[in-house]
Amino acid sequence: MIKQKKTRIVFFGDSITQAGVGKTGYITKMQEMLQQKGTAAQYELMGAGIGGNKVYDLYLRMEDDALAKNPDVVVIWVGVNDVWHKASSGTGTDADKFEKFYTAMIKKFQAKNVQLALCTPSTIGEKTDYSNQQDGDLNNYSNIIRRLAKANNCKLIDLRKDFHDYNVKNNTDNKESGILTTDRVHLNEKGNTFVAERMMEGLGLK
């Protein structure tokens, strides 16, 4: 009998993805969900996240950290630091450069026949009335990713919208963090479960 090849999925991103392979991380939770469904043998999930990464960091390491793993699918989740670091350390990425690097990355992956799922950056602050400092920028960068997904025929996992919708329902006190995040950005356990469910759905693993 020919052994069926596993579908290899690489999650490519920043510290949120780096933490995704931890004990309660979203990638670990996805693995558990696949086991419960009895489909774990069909997939191989790999994390390739590095803290503080922005879109050009991903572009520079995509060869070694993503393509070298011979993925069937790459999930790109980047953008929070590109926006956040503008305010926190003045080292963010301007929107036009963000789009250029992102587009170049898509083209490189697609040239190697890698299927892509693009994620919008989820949140920097969980207030639901658009009073978080970086809401405007995050919405702008999310729109860039939505547009690129459509133009390049990539799957879209719209975490920006998903997080906002969830918080509108569950963050009635308009808290800055503690709903899906520990510190306005990084995921708590509920956040990891939420992201795992969205990823499963977006990748058609349900």
Side-chain angles (χ1 to χ4, degrees):
M1 228 173 89
I2 298 165
K3 193 166 178 274
Q4 204 182 348
K5 184 180 164 292
K6 286 184 176 189
T7 299
R8 183 174 289 176
I9 306 172
V10 171
F11 295 85
F12 196 35
D14 52 32
S15 58
I16 302 173
T17 295
Q18 190 173 20
V21 295
K23 206 164 64 158
T24 58
Y26 76 86
I27 299 167
T28 306
K29 285 186 183 291
M30 288 177 74
Q31 195 68 55
E32 288 162 6
M33 289 171 187
L34 290 170
Q35 270 154 1
Q36 282 159 11
K37 286 162 57 67
T39 54
Q42 296 171 31
Y43 301 100
E44 187 176 7
L45 310 183
M46 302 172 96
I50 293 183
N53 267 197
K54 303 178 189 71
V55 70
Y56 54 82
D57 298 304
L58 262 58
Y59 179 77
L60 291 172
R61 67 185 182 88
M62 63 184 291
E63 207 69 55
D64 292 343
D65 291 2
L67 285 168
K69 294 182 164 82
N70 293 319
D72 299 293
V73 181
V74 170
V75 179
I76 303 174
W77 188 8
V78 73
V80 158
N81 293 321
D82 298 88
V83 170
W84 196 16
H85 290 184
K86 280 188 194 181
S88 63
S89 54
T91 58
T93 313
D94 291 336
D96 59 337
K97 283 201 180 73
F98 182 82
E99 186 162 354
K100 276 186 183 138
F101 274 109
Y102 212 125
T103 303
M105 197 158 47
I106 290 170
K107 292 204 176 338
K108 257 191 157 177
F109 277 127
Q110 288 186 333
K112 304 275 189 195
N113 295 320
V114 175
Q115 288 184 309
L116 294 175
L118 313 185
C119 303
T120 50
S122 48
T123 195
I124 305 174
E126 297 193 71
K127 290 180 180 178
T128 57
D129 58 357
Y130 293 111
S131 65
N132 305 292
Q133 188 191 353
Q134 282 97 1
D135 276 341
D137 256 357
L138 274 183
N139 292 336
N140 182 22
Y141 286 52
S142 294
N143 282 332
I144 290 170
I145 293 168
R146 290 176 189 127
R147 203 167 63 236
L148 289 175
K150 200 173 176 186
N152 294 284
N153 209 11
C154 304
K155 284 183 170 151
L156 175 71
I157 301 172
D158 202 343
L159 295 172
R160 178 80 185 132
K161 182 182 184 302
D162 294 337
F163 269 62
H164 186 258
D165 291 350
Y166 183 91
N167 271 311
V168 166
K169 281 196 197 109
N170 299 284
N171 185 8
T172 45
D173 297 332
N174 205 32
K175 290 197 289 200
E176 199 173 29
S177 63
I179 310 299
L180 294 171
T181 74
T182 56
D183 60 354
R184 304 184 309 130
V185 172
H186 299 94
L187 306 173
N188 60 20
E189 190 159 357
K190 194 173 268 182
N192 273 300
T193 301
F194 184 73
V195 167
E197 288 165 354
R198 299 283 78 72
M199 293 275 189
M200 293 283 287
E201 206 175 302
L203 292 166
L205 306 183
K206 276 200 160 174

